[in-house]
Amino acid sequence: MARKAAEQIEMRQLAVTFIIILCIAFGLLLFLVMLDLPAPHVHLAVQVNEKLAESGVIHPVTAVLLNFRGYDTLLEVVVLFVALTAMLTQAKGRNLQHITTKPCSVPMQIEVLQWLTRVVVPLAIMVAGYLLWAGAYRAGGAFQAAAVLAAASVLLRLASMLHTTGLPGPASRIGLLAGLLFFFAVAAAGTITRQQGSLLQYPDDWAGLLILFIEAGLTFSLGLILARTFLTLADDDDTRGTER
């Protein structure tokens, strides 16, 4: 019996070693292929800089994400929303309607955390606003600002200062969709008012303002989506703990 177990362990070790060698070989092959890639015929950085003045912003990353390749960003937001919807669908099956947050069992720790939260959350809102505004001319934008707001929501939840009821209510659902719907509205308006095939091609005079509005809506909705993802997982853990 012991000999058979030792043989199984040896076989597993050999299999792991083989997989590691295979992964290393594949990685080296990819590295060699990348070294042999031909020079690109299209210099995207040059093209972006040439069209940057028409984008409505002065930062190339923002110009690409929300103007030149705006539909890619639109689809990314759709993917996040669909992922959250799938999570909420599963959570509904676990009966999270009446789950509420429970206070921490250590009063001193929760007091310190709540004091820290009262200081950090207003600063996080200010930082999110700055990142949103700065996205037009330097690194920043809706996704970064939304991540900061979501982190603030997580801190509020951990400090038992944000109470949830499991699944979002009607107002929260509207907030989750607001940024995405506005993004769709701008895309549709551009297609209707301009020539065929002009999805998310803004009028030159309105490009900067529309991008700012889109990013503001996305900041709000993405912040809710990211925060709601954490809260759903937290409520799910609470439910499993209660079942146990």
Side-chain angles (χ1 to χ4, degrees):
M1 191 73 176
R3 184 177 179 181
K4 186 176 181 180
E7 290 178 354
Q8 290 179 349
I9 294 174
E10 186 177 355
M11 290 295 295
R12 290 177 183 175
Q13 292 177 344
L14 288 174
V16 170
T17 303
F18 175 75
I19 292 173
I20 292 174
I21 294 174
L22 187 63
C23 291
I24 293 174
F26 184 68
L28 289 174
L29 179 62
L30 288 178
F31 179 73
L32 293 175
V33 170
M34 290 180 64
L35 290 178
D36 197 39
L37 288 176
H41 299 290
V42 178
H43 299 283
L44 296 178
V46 175
Q47 291 185 342
V48 169
N49 289 328
E50 289 177 351
K51 296 291 186 179
L52 194 58
E54 304 174 11
S55 67
V57 294
I58 59 177
H59 194 267
V61 174
T62 304
V64 171
L65 291 179
L66 288 167
N67 195 324
F68 306 145
R69 304 284 292 182
Y71 50 86
D72 288 347
T73 304
L74 177 61
L75 292 177
E76 290 172 5
V77 179
V78 170
V79 168
L80 288 174
F81 181 79
V82 170
L84 176 61
T85 302
M87 290 181 62
L88 293 175
T89 301
Q90 290 189 342
K92 187 176 181 180
R94 288 185 173 271
N95 192 22
L96 299 185
Q97 289 284 2
H98 304 291
I99 298 297
T100 57
T101 56
K102 297 179 180 179
C104 181
S105 58
V106 185
M108 182 60 70
Q109 289 185 2
I110 200 68
E111 282 186 24
V112 173
L113 185 57
Q114 287 179 350
W115 179 86
L116 178 64
T117 301
R118 292 187 181 97
V119 174
V120 171
V121 169
L123 292 176
I125 295 173
M126 292 177 59
V127 170
Y130 168 76
L131 289 173
L132 172 63
W133 181 260
Y137 58 89
R138 62 174 61 183
F143 282 87
Q144 292 86 341
V148 173
L149 291 179
S153 300
V154 171
L155 185 57
L156 287 168
R157 172 64 164 78
L158 294 176
S160 296
M161 298 173 67
L162 179 63
H163 300 282
T164 61
T165 57
L167 299 178
S172 297
R173 295 175 187 179
I174 293 174
L176 292 169
L177 270 172
L180 182 60
L181 291 178
F182 184 76
F183 209 157
F184 271 121
V186 173
T191 304
I192 294 171
T193 58
R194 294 170 67 88
Q195 67 273 19
Q196 185 177 2
S198 59
L199 181 65
L200 283 174
Q201 291 184 7
Y202 318 111
D204 295 339
D205 296 337
W206 291 85
L209 188 61
L210 287 174
I211 288 176
L212 178 60
F213 284 156
I214 289 173
E215 291 221 279
L218 288 181
T219 297
F220 181 71
S221 291
L222 286 173
L224 284 177
I225 289 173
L226 295 175
R228 192 69 243 183
T229 300
F230 171 83
L231 294 175
T232 301
L233 291 173
D235 290 339
D236 193 24
D237 289 340
D238 289 343
T239 302
R240 292 179 180 179
T242 303
E243 291 174 353
R244 289 175 186 174

